[in-house]
Amino acid sequence: MSRIADALIGQPRQEGDIATAIAQATQCLERFTDAFNQQDLPGMDACLHFPHQMWSGAQLLVWQQPGNHPPDFFELLRATGWTHTRYEAISSVLASADKVHFVVDYTRRGLGDAELSRHRNLWVAVQHEGRWGIVLRSY
């Protein structure tokens, strides 16, 4: 079979494989947000695969390599009163043994845990070269 046929048809997966994939991919998302809350840009990049795609509305941003967050990224967030981000729900909506699509509901929070904003996004994590990483975020 060709690489395209292999990719489209794939191999049958066992239910346990998918449950493990969802758990591991969820841990990747949690590591990303832990790094985000620690204002750790290299830690965030370590949870991504590159090229990394972000759909912001109808605009596609593609990061070819780590280091694409602006250096003042967290200063911009702090200007809104942001202190931390919290997942309200993470739901896998499509999964295989090496790719999981999530709907991620999260809030940006300020002092006293006040909710500043609420977001619902689509994120995709894949296992590539032995490591789970986020390849796509759609805002």
Side-chain angles (χ1 to χ4, degrees):
M1 250 190 270
S2 71
R3 279 184 82 184
I4 293 174
D6 286 342
L8 294 175
I9 296 170
Q11 298 296 318
R13 302 294 184 196
Q14 300 298 320
E15 201 169 305
D17 293 343
I18 293 174
T20 298
I22 292 169
Q24 292 174 343
T26 300
Q27 290 171 354
C28 175
L29 271 60
E30 290 170 345
R31 284 191 306 273
F32 178 86
T33 298
D34 288 345
F36 187 88
N37 284 333
Q38 293 171 25
Q39 301 178 31
D40 175 6
L41 294 175
M44 292 165 56
D45 282 347
C47 299
L48 305 177
H49 278 307
F50 297 92
H52 181 77
Q53 295 185 17
M54 287 187 301
W55 283 95
S56 179
Q59 180 182 7
L60 173 63
L61 305 171
V62 179
W63 294 351
Q64 295 298 329
Q65 59 200 20
N68 282 264
H69 282 95
D72 62 347
F73 179 70
F74 290 107
E75 291 171 29
L76 297 171
L77 278 177
R78 282 190 298 272
T80 69
W82 173 86
T83 60
H84 63 286
T85 295
R86 181 173 73 205
Y87 289 127
E88 303 301 328
I90 302 173
S91 305
S92 63
V93 293
L94 180 64
S96 68
D98 57 4
K99 180 175 63 171
V100 183
H101 297 233
F102 291 98
V103 173
V104 179
D105 291 296
Y106 65 92
T107 53
R108 295 230 171 112
R109 303 246 165 199
L111 293 175
D113 206 35
E115 183 177 314
L116 302 174
S117 62
R118 183 174 290 262
H119 307 270
R120 186 169 192 204
N121 307 139
L122 176 67
W123 291 19
V124 179
V126 300
Q127 184 178 36
H128 179 67
E129 297 180 350
R131 179 180 73 82
W132 282 95
I134 303 161
V135 294
L136 178 131
R137 293 177 286 164
S138 181
Y139 296 93

